[in-house]
Amino acid sequence: MIKKKILVTGGAGFVGSHLCDRLLKEGNEVICLDNYFTGQKQNVVHLLNNPFFELVRHDVTMPFFIEVDEIYNLACPASPVHYQYNAIKTMKTSVMGAINMLGLAKRIKAKILQASTSEVYGDPQIHPQTENYWGHVNPIGERSCYDEGKRSAETLFVNYHKQNNVKIKIIRIFNTYGPRMHPHDGRVVSNFIMQALQGEDITIYGDGQQTRSFQYVDDLVEGMIRMMASPDEFTGPVNIGNPNEFTILQLAERVIELTHSKSKIVRMALPPDDPTQRQPNIELAKKELDWEPKIQLNEGLIKTIEYFASII
Ligand code: NAD
Ligand code: UDP
């Protein structure tokens, strides 16, 4: 018996492909929608023989019509290199994508979850970040197409809920890593592992003292599923991330150690508006979703290193 029919936008991306795996494993029918900007068919090729999986090439900036019970809205490039490549398109994807998916959810009375981000906090001035913090975002900076796009999407979600009773769920995802990250997408974990495995220099931007808190993808997927299943009154936003905070230098050293690499660390210019610190407060997720991350950095890095070693 099929449980639910579920649309995953951005389903051929890094996080989306793991979410599709999990939803299918739980007996759901999954429609994966993607324009393959940063995702790849390769991420879901193992699902193509499953009769309960459908792959649709579509761009969320255009309306899409389908009957489903739930929508996970993930379509949006997530790596700074990729979202800055075409800043206008990134903003259109976040804003028009949200409008199209919310309009769909309203029409078919589906529940819809938005993959928002810790970037809504910008370069945060309170630490760790709680959901009631409004953030510190440069509206005209290099990152603003992504940050403000995601902030606008949150506004749209909340207003479709208030005005049209759409059942919404907003999660704010903190830096997530794992197998199927694009090897050249420029994010720090994939960069460092690829560099270490290939004996290339490890590129630290700035002095490496900026911090991030890294979450393994399976923990995120568990948080997403729990959020979707939570009572309708709980709309979020809720932080989903691993509170263990590391400097970027510590991450580089950890990757070198785990890969037994001879790579050297080199310093490069720090990109503008690069947040100096980031750590989620996850008390709300613990209370409302009975969720907390289970996989710590070494275990997650080892799995991720195995994946990258297998594709080089
Ligand atoms: P990703 O780039 O691997 O996946 C994004 C997917 O969306 C790709 O498959 C891409 O092709 C697709 N896409 C982009 N624009 C589209 C469009 N206009 N129409 C249809 N598909 C489109 O990134 P990811 O890490 O898997 O991120 C997934 C979601 O989670 C994103 O919304 C991202 O903002 C959010 N998020 C991720 C992280 C993280 O650390 N991974 C952190 C915060 C938020
Ligand atoms: N970074 C780095 N070297 C790299 C890639 C990234 O030092 O090769 C730094 C980047 O400047 C930032 C942190 O690592 O401070 C995380 O970058 P990422 O692009 O993964 O995500 P962000 O959290 O900045 O969106």
Side-chain angles (χ1 to χ4, degrees):
M1 257 276 283
I2 291 297
K3 285 185 186 157
K4 285 185 203 123
K5 219 168 145 183
I6 302 176
L7 175 66
V8 179
T9 78
F14 155 52
V15 174
S17 63
H18 288 278
L19 180 64
C20 289
D21 283 350
R22 172 75 188 267
L23 293 171
L24 285 164
K25 213 172 275 170
E26 292 187 354
N28 300 295
E29 185 172 338
V30 173
I31 298 96
C32 166
L33 178 158
D34 209 294
N35 71 349
Y36 307 119
F37 174 46
T38 50
Q40 331 177 51
K41 267 193 189 162
Q42 187 59 41
N43 287 341
V44 288
V45 77
H46 59 287
L47 301 175
L48 292 178
N49 284 333
N50 185 330
F52 299 108
F53 180 75
E54 265 175 80
L55 187 54
V56 182
R57 181 189 291 263
H58 184 82
D59 193 305
V60 286
T61 59
M62 312 294 268
F64 184 68
F65 302 96
I66 194 167
E67 298 285 322
V68 289
D69 304 299
E70 293 176 350
I71 304 168
Y72 287 85
N73 189 37
L74 274 65
C76 186
S79 142
V81 177
H82 284 145
Y83 69 63
Q84 289 167 22
Y85 171 76
N86 185 342
I88 296 170
K89 178 67 197 241
T90 298
M91 192 114 191
K92 281 186 182 171
T93 295
S94 270
V95 175
M96 293 164 70
I99 291 171
N100 287 328
M101 289 305 126
L102 284 161
L104 175 66
K106 174 183 160 189
R107 207 159 44 243
I108 62 177
K109 299 196 180 352
K111 211 191 301 185
I112 179 165
L113 179 144
Q114 169 67 355
S116 190
T117 168
S118 52
E119 280 284 313
V120 300
Y121 302 123
D123 189 2
Q125 293 179 316
I126 72 145
H127 195 72
Q129 293 78 55
T130 43
E131 290 84 351
N132 58 8
Y133 177 51
W134 292 355
H136 180 230
V137 174
N138 175 357
I140 54 167
E142 299 291 318
R143 289 181 167 245
S144 58
C145 59
Y146 183 73
D147 300 8
E148 299 290 17
K150 289 283 187 178
R151 285 166 69 98
S152 302
E154 286 198 10
T155 308
L156 284 161
F157 267 70
V158 166
N159 286 307
Y160 268 78
H161 175 64
K162 282 190 199 152
Q163 279 177 240
N164 299 130
N165 294 318
V166 174
K167 292 177 186 168
I168 62 151
K169 303 278 177 188
I170 300 172
I171 59 166
R172 292 183 178 154
I173 304 170
F174 283 66
N175 294 67
T176 303
Y177 68 97
R180 302 191 199 139
M181 291 183 90
H182 196 287
H184 303 296
D185 88 354
R187 282 183 274 189
V188 68
V189 175
S190 44
N191 268 11
F192 284 2
I193 294 178
M194 287 293 289
Q195 290 162 344
L197 289 175
Q198 297 179 111
E200 293 168 2
D201 290 344
I202 308 264
T203 53
I204 288 195
Y205 303 159
D207 61 7
Q209 292 308 308
Q210 69 271 39
T211 68
R212 295 293 186 272
S213 306
F214 298 101
Q215 158 173 252
Y216 188 68
V217 64
D218 290 359
D219 284 330
L220 167 59
V221 168
E222 180 66 31
M224 294 176 113
I225 304 256
R226 283 183 190 231
M227 181 57 172
M228 189 61 110
S230 66
D232 289 348
E233 310 77 72
F234 184 60
T235 58
V238 59
N239 291 337
I240 301 288
N242 189 322
N244 280 344
E245 186 184 10
F246 297 87
T247 66
I248 295 305
L249 178 62
Q250 285 172 328
L251 177 73
E253 289 167 348
R254 191 68 68 87
V255 168
I256 289 174
E257 181 192 321
L258 292 174
T259 52
H260 311 291
S261 175
K262 295 198 166 54
S263 292
K264 286 191 212 48
I265 290 176
V266 296
R267 315 271 165 175
M268 295 178 72
L270 186 69
D273 296 339
D274 198 286
T276 47
Q277 54 182 0
R278 191 182 282 155
Q279 183 191 34
N281 173 311
I282 58 163
E283 292 311 309
L284 187 63
K286 281 188 187 165
K287 177 167 161 270
E288 296 292 339
L289 308 177
D290 191 23
W291 173 90
E292 62 182 320
K294 301 264 184 290
I295 300 171
Q296 298 310 341
L297 191 64
N298 267 22
E299 186 185 350
L301 281 180
I302 289 168
K303 290 176 201 257
T304 312
I305 290 165
E306 276 170 15
Y307 167 77
F308 281 112
S310 76
I311 61 162
I312 284 175

